Amino acid sequence: MARTKDPTVWTLLIERAAHMLRTREPITLRALVAGTGVSTMAVYTYFGGMDGMWKALRQEGFTRLGARLARVPVSDDPVRDLTALVAAYLRNALEHPDLYRVMFDATFDLEDAQAADSTLEYLVQAAARGRAAGRFRPDVVPLELATQSWVIGHGLVSLVATGPLPVATLDHGILLLAALFASAGDDPDRCRRSVERGWAQHPPGAR
């Protein structure tokens, strides 16, 4: 009879790998389990080997991001909501910088690529609601606007979470997002107010 896998062991190994990334320790099979109380066989039992562990680590990054974006409430202001989603993305990256680095390393496939794609879909839906509400021009493609918003967030946080710039750099996101959404058709003054409210809802630099 097959033994039931203990989810705490899975989590233990994922957290251990994330810690090793954060402290820049070489991640080998033996180093991964050192001090955890489990054997090297556990890596094969739970992940099928080191390649599987890397896949799971990438997936865990998107799982945590998806959970964070799901907690962003939907309001009657889609521009505010789209901004809040970008801000939540930044917060997630700052709280899990080790996983953030692995999420976009395509060396290993994701276990569930659709689950990763669904994180962007939160932004797509907000952009679509903005277009439907007349905040964006009818010719605006929600996927394109969502992707542009993601690019702004990704570029900023990459320079902070895994780069040399201070957290205060993230506040440039307010101006960048306001300019993007205004270029998509939103009234500049109304847009700036919505962006500021959305940013304040999940302030990326807050501790």
Side-chain angles (χ1 to χ4, degrees):
M1 180 177 178
R3 294 179 58 186
T4 301
K5 292 182 180 178
D6 183 352
T8 61
V9 174
W10 185 95
T11 301
L12 173 68
L13 292 172
I14 286 290
E15 294 292 349
R16 168 67 175 158
H19 172 76
M20 293 177 74
L21 282 173
R22 185 165 56 251
T23 56
R24 303 185 185 281
E25 299 176 55
I27 302 179
T28 64
L29 183 61
R30 291 189 180 279
L32 179 62
V33 301
T36 64
V38 300
S39 69
T40 55
M41 184 55 65
V43 178
Y44 293 94
T45 300
Y46 287 83
F47 304 106
M50 289 297 288
D51 284 0
M53 189 277 298
W54 282 111
K55 288 182 181 180
L57 198 60
R58 279 195 74 197
Q59 196 73 50
E60 181 65 11
F62 282 102
T63 296
R64 295 187 187 189
L65 173 60
R68 170 59 66 91
L69 298 182
R71 295 197 296 271
V72 176
V74 175
S75 74
D76 58 0
D77 184 342
V79 176
R80 172 182 176 175
D81 296 347
L82 184 51
T83 302
L85 288 165
V86 174
Y89 172 87
L90 301 182
R91 284 289 297 273
N92 184 76
L94 290 178
E95 291 174 6
H96 307 291
D98 35 11
L99 292 178
Y100 182 75
R101 276 196 295 269
V102 179
M103 285 168 64
F104 301 102
D105 180 357
T107 304
F108 296 96
D109 293 333
L110 288 163
E111 295 176 327
D112 183 358
Q114 182 57 47
D117 290 343
S118 68
T119 57
L120 178 60
E121 186 63 21
Y122 285 100
L123 281 71
V124 174
Q125 292 302 316
R129 289 191 295 106
R131 185 180 65 179
R135 298 291 296 271
F136 304 134
R137 295 189 310 273
D139 64 337
V140 166
V141 179
L143 175 59
E144 292 181 359
L145 186 60
T147 301
Q148 291 162 355
S149 303
W150 188 300
V151 167
I152 288 174
H154 182 72
L156 282 171
V157 82
S158 293
L159 292 170
V160 175
T162 62
L165 298 184
V167 173
T169 304
L170 297 179
D171 288 337
H172 291 300
I174 296 174
L175 292 175
L176 293 170
L177 290 173
L180 172 64
F181 300 152
S183 73
D186 200 15
D187 174 78
D189 291 335
R190 185 183 185 187
C191 179
R192 178 60 184 252
R193 290 193 297 271
S194 292
V195 169
E196 289 178 344
R197 286 196 296 266
W199 197 262
Q201 187 174 334
H202 296 275
R207 295 296 183 183

